[in-house]
Amino acid sequence: MQPQALTIHTAGGHDIVARLFQPQPGKAPAGICIIAPATGVAQYLYDDFAYWLADQGYLALTFDYEGMGLSVTGPLKYCRADKLSWAKFDGPAVLKYVAREIKPRYTDLRCIWIGHSVGGHLLGYMGQRDEIDEIITVAAGTGTWWYNSAPTRRFAWFLWYFLVPVTVPLLGYYPGKKLGIMCDMPKGVMLQWRRWCLNKDYAVGAEGEWMAERFASVTTPINSIEFSDDEMMSPKNIRLFHRFFRNAPQQHVRISPEEVGQKRIGHIGWHKGRYRALWERVFLPRLQQMQTADSANLPGSSQQAGTGG
């Protein structure tokens, strides 16, 4: 079944484009999964995963942040979006749409936020959202560049100390397509991201106490999934990031490609169809759990409450 295209208006005055993948009709869905994408990863790249979720009986909603993918409405040099505006306007608009348009159709529909990289960061930037019942973060860690995995560390230095300072002020946006390094992105996103990545405590260190309190306000249970061959996020990046959620019960699982019959997973790509074994082994049990305490018995889990590290 083809996904339903949605245009969601935000409190910031701009529209974002989302799509809703629906399970086969005939019974109430098991829940709704909001797939919040990584920086520079368009929503269509999560289609395989979204269709699989629908096959398991879940509604799945994908979306693009302002200035990305289907939510680009004009030349990027005129886009004023940054990561905090994604959290202030885009994430809440999606949650409001689900609460207003989808939840009233079903009784006790659970809302699961699946945040890939910055999609997991948005949870801290937004603070506690009572609309969300469960959280799954995927490959979400701090962007502090000297903690990055070794393959990315040299590239990150080049990106933050040369490419971004030279190209973004000159062009008014980041020309990722022309450079062949990531995709085109708004100026505000790249400059803010750079400032955070040059701080040892990432966004929390760069923004100050209000940001620390925003992360600390989150009390919704978190399941963190990380990959042993992630070329961007080292275990230290991931642990440091989840420590910001100091009041959220947490379970962490680290998966190697060999465990799911693959040679590589990495930071980007786990959402492609060839990783179905990963979804079935790791994601499905976490989606099906009804109580946070049950996750202590999930395959590969280690339970951590409050400290996140």
Side-chain angles (χ1 to χ4, degrees):
M1 185 182 298
Q2 290 296 310
Q4 176 188 356
L6 308 169
T7 299
I8 300 175
H9 191 66
T10 74
H14 60 273
D15 293 335
I16 58 173
V17 176
R19 292 179 305 152
L20 183 65
F21 297 73
Q22 303 193 48
Q24 293 298 318
K27 65 177 183 178
I32 180 164
C33 296
I34 298 172
I35 304 172
T39 304
V41 182
Q43 65 175 302
Y44 76 87
L45 293 171
Y46 297 90
D47 281 6
D48 290 348
F49 183 57
Y51 277 119
W52 175 81
L53 287 169
D55 287 343
Q56 310 312 307
Y58 291 87
L59 291 162
L61 190 147
T62 64
F63 68 99
D64 286 313
Y65 308 119
E66 182 188 11
M68 279 181 49
L70 297 174
S71 297
V72 174
T73 57
L76 273 186
K77 66 181 179 179
Y78 300 123
C79 179
R80 296 294 176 258
D82 59 23
K83 296 193 176 196
L84 289 182
S85 74
W86 291 348
K88 183 176 182 180
F89 302 122
D90 300 3
V94 169
L95 291 170
K96 183 177 180 181
Y97 178 86
V98 169
R100 185 183 66 241
E101 302 293 337
I102 298 178
K103 279 200 168 188
R105 303 181 207 167
Y106 307 100
T107 302
D108 300 325
L109 186 71
R110 290 185 303 138
C111 181
I112 303 107
W113 183 281
I114 303 177
H116 180 201
S117 198
V118 79
H121 298 185
L122 251 65
L123 297 159
Y125 307 157
M126 290 190 294
Q128 175 65 17
R129 301 292 308 205
D130 293 337
E131 305 97 320
I132 301 173
D133 299 301
E134 299 175 26
I135 294 167
I136 297 177
T137 61
V138 187
T142 70
T144 304
W145 75 268
W146 57 89
Y147 296 150
N148 286 145
S149 295
T152 302
R153 203 173 299 135
R154 285 191 293 272
F155 160 73
W157 182 93
F158 179 67
L159 178 70
W160 300 134
Y161 285 102
F162 181 74
L163 274 185
V164 169
V166 170
T167 61
V168 172
L170 182 65
L171 299 176
Y173 72 101
Y174 175 73
K177 290 181 181 178
K178 292 179 181 178
L179 295 171
I181 302 173
M182 301 190 293
C183 66
D184 294 351
M185 279 187 274
K187 175 181 178 178
V189 170
M190 292 304 292
L191 293 183
Q192 188 179 66
W193 194 14
R194 177 183 185 271
R195 184 165 63 88
W196 292 352
C197 287
L198 299 183
N199 189 290
K200 68 180 180 66
D201 289 319
Y202 193 54
V204 170
E207 299 298 329
E209 186 59 29
W210 75 266
M211 178 70 84
E213 292 176 358
R214 192 73 61 84
F215 272 84
S217 73
V218 177
T219 57
T220 304
I222 296 173
N223 276 284
S224 167
I225 298 171
E226 61 183 90
F227 308 122
S228 64
D229 66 334
D230 191 327
E231 73 281 6
M232 293 185 66
M233 293 293 111
S234 68
K236 185 166 186 174
N237 286 106
I238 292 168
R239 293 296 179 265
L240 287 174
F241 171 69
H242 285 86
R243 282 178 185 154
F244 299 145
F245 294 106
R246 61 179 182 265
N247 293 312
Q250 299 180 31
Q251 286 79 40
H252 294 256
V253 60
R254 183 171 173 83
I255 297 295
S256 67
E258 295 76 18
E259 291 178 84
V260 291
Q262 294 290 331
K263 293 183 179 179
R264 185 178 185 279
I265 301 175
H267 189 69
I268 304 292
W270 61 268
H271 36 81
K272 292 296 187 180
R274 63 181 177 274
Y275 294 105
R276 186 182 181 95
L278 168 67
W279 307 339
E280 292 176 347
R281 183 185 187 279
V282 179
F283 283 85
L284 190 57
R286 284 159 177 80
L287 289 169
Q288 292 175 334
Q289 68 186 10
M290 298 304 294
Q291 300 290 337
T292 302
D294 293 343
S295 62
N297 299 317
L298 292 172
S301 287
S302 60
Q303 184 170 356
Q304 297 165 352
T307 63

